[in-house]
Amino acid sequence: MKAVILAGGLGTRLSEETAIKPKPMVEVGGKPILWHIMKIYSHHGITDFVVCCGYKGYVIKEYFANYFLHMSDVTFDMRFNQMNVHAGKAEPWRVTLVDTGDSTMTGGRLKRVREHVGNEDFCFTYGDGVSNVNVTELIEFHKQNGTLATLTAVQPPGRFGAISLEKDQTKITQFQEKPEGDGAWINGGFFVLNPQVIDYIDDDSISWEKEPLQKIAHMEELSAYKHDGFWQPMDTLRDKRYLEKLWQENEAPWKVW
């Protein structure tokens, strides 16, 4: 099975980092967040990736073109113009990088890689979020339900201190710092899709999360795999620092490999 990863967005809320690199190349623990996502899938036996590039996509291409050097110790002998690689650490990955346009929407990016997907079900996710979702169970759940699409549903935690106030109340009697969310399930990415879903994407201007998903849901062909474990997008600098802290403290729940 292949995994398609969206990696072409601007990442405007992380402009401190994305002015010089695409959002999926922002690093956590010295490795791009894209690398972490691929390691999650690789742990579950998925090693064939299609990466939808866009904004500053050449940075992603250069990273994988030089991946062996990034992960190895090397000696450069300048006298003889030679390079010796020591203890090279390669991944068992096959990575197809596709330029899907700078301003193409998420659905349009998926449509542009149709020829690389093939005719089998495939995984599909965003290039800026990590999770300890059990991808193996997710795929099995998708097969058992037999729908065209399955998304991973998550419940994000609250981000701010919550207080209870009645209409005319001015004194706080209950406070909870970073409470659990309001109980709503949201789209956490980590999809499993039948290639037929691409037929519901008209062109580059279509967001996957709008018309295509809405139509598939209306057809009752969209299943939800409920994941109550760790899930964290990297939308802001605050999110990046949180993920970095977890990694440095060896408490990164998504590090399942």
Side-chain angles (χ1 to χ4, degrees):
M1 182 175 284
K2 295 182 178 181
V4 176
I5 304 176
L6 292 170
L10 294 174
T12 53
R13 286 185 287 176
L14 256 175
S15 58
E16 300 89 347
E17 297 261 3
T18 55
I20 59 173
K21 65 180 71 170
K23 188 178 179 184
M25 294 303 290
V26 174
E27 294 184 354
V28 172
K31 300 287 194 307
I33 191 76
L34 177 61
W35 177 88
H36 290 263
I37 295 167
M38 294 169 74
K39 288 289 284 186
I40 294 169
Y41 278 109
S42 184
H43 174 73
H44 291 278
I46 297 175
T47 57
D48 194 345
F49 299 96
V50 178
V51 181
C52 303
C53 302
Y55 171 72
K56 295 188 181 297
Y58 63 87
V59 177
I60 301 176
K61 292 179 180 178
E62 290 174 356
Y63 176 76
F64 285 105
N66 297 300
Y67 186 83
F68 199 66
L69 293 181
H70 282 291
M71 302 299 291
S72 307
D73 297 328
V74 296
T75 296
F76 293 99
D77 192 327
M78 312 303 281
R79 298 167 300 171
F80 303 105
N81 193 29
Q82 293 179 342
M83 178 185 73
N84 295 317
V85 178
H86 312 283
K89 300 175 183 176
E91 299 286 352
W93 297 346
R94 181 176 185 269
V95 185
T96 301
L97 305 174
V98 182
D99 182 2
T100 57
D102 284 0
S103 58
T104 307
M105 302 302 287
T106 51
R109 294 190 190 282
L110 177 56
K111 190 175 184 68
R112 285 207 185 191
V113 301
R114 176 66 181 89
E115 66 180 287
H116 301 285
V117 169
N119 299 316
E120 304 294 329
D121 288 0
F122 63 97
C123 293
F124 178 54
T125 197
Y126 305 104
D128 61 356
V130 288
S131 174
N132 60 355
V133 58
N134 189 321
V135 176
T136 301
E137 286 188 2
L138 166 64
I139 294 170
E140 185 59 31
F141 175 87
H142 172 76
K143 291 178 179 178
Q144 290 177 357
N145 279 271
T147 54
L148 290 177
T150 298
L151 65 75
T152 297
V154 298
Q155 292 180 299
R159 303 193 69 166
F160 306 100
I163 58 178
S164 296
L165 285 176
E166 298 296 333
K167 182 177 181 181
D168 298 319
Q169 183 180 344
T170 57
K171 288 188 178 180
I172 298 171
T173 58
Q174 183 178 354
F175 178 85
Q176 185 178 6
E177 177 63 9
K178 290 186 175 63
E180 293 190 13
D182 58 9
W185 293 90
I186 68 168
N187 169 24
F190 292 94
F191 297 89
V192 183
L193 305 176
N194 183 296
Q196 293 179 44
V197 301
I198 301 177
D199 296 336
Y200 300 107
I201 303 170
D202 291 332
D203 52 44
D204 287 355
S205 68
I206 301 299
S207 293
W208 164 245
E209 301 78 12
K210 293 185 178 178
E211 293 95 334
L213 267 189
Q214 291 169 1
K215 184 167 186 177
I216 295 166
H218 183 71
M219 295 166 53
E220 298 186 358
E221 286 288 346
L222 178 62
S223 298
Y225 175 81
K226 293 182 177 179
H227 172 64
D228 56 8
F230 180 84
W231 173 84
Q232 179 65 50
M234 190 179 64
D235 290 328
T236 65
L237 190 59
R238 172 181 174 173
D239 294 334
K240 181 210 184 287
R241 289 170 175 164
Y242 173 61
L243 293 174
E244 185 71 41
K245 181 175 182 291
L246 290 175
W247 185 268
Q248 295 302 333
E249 294 177 354
N250 293 317
E251 295 181 356
W254 72 89
K255 189 180 183 299
V256 293
W257 59 89

